[in-house]
Amino acid sequence: MHKAIAIANVIAWSGFWAFGYLALTAGTNQPGQMVTAAILAGLGGAVGLLAFLWLARHAEATGYAKPANRAEKRDDDEIHGEVL
């Protein structure tokens, strides 16, 4: 499953860059083409971001990547140090 998500990630980011370029270079006399390309670029970026986040979480869960540095919650709720 993770290989399919990785392939979807590559295809989505490729679509983002290709349609983003088409949206930026479309002539001002073709607003329909510009809007369509911008929507497709946005969809490609969103799918690519979601796939990347899924892959990062999967890599941490399987031990392939080192887990992110996260602070641990302490049991006590007391304030330590001087409070003004």
Side-chain angles (χ1 to χ4, degrees):
M1 180 69 178
H2 59 278
K3 288 183 182 181
I5 298 292
I7 291 170
N9 186 24
V10 171
I11 292 171
W13 282 117
S14 299
F16 167 75
W17 288 109
F19 287 112
Y21 175 77
L22 290 175
L24 290 175
T25 59
T28 56
N29 57 350
Q30 300 170 338
Q33 181 182 2
M34 187 184 310
V35 170
T36 304
I39 290 171
L40 290 174
L43 287 174
V47 171
L49 182 64
L50 290 175
F52 172 76
L53 292 175
W54 187 92
L55 287 170
R57 181 172 290 192
H58 177 72
E60 286 180 3
T62 58
Y64 186 73
K66 182 180 174 184
N69 232 354
R70 295 183 178 99
E72 294 181 16
K73 185 176 180 182
R74 297 189 312 199
D75 291 335
D76 61 341
D77 289 66
E78 297 178 20
I79 297 175
H80 298 283
E82 183 178 326
V83 178
L84 299 175

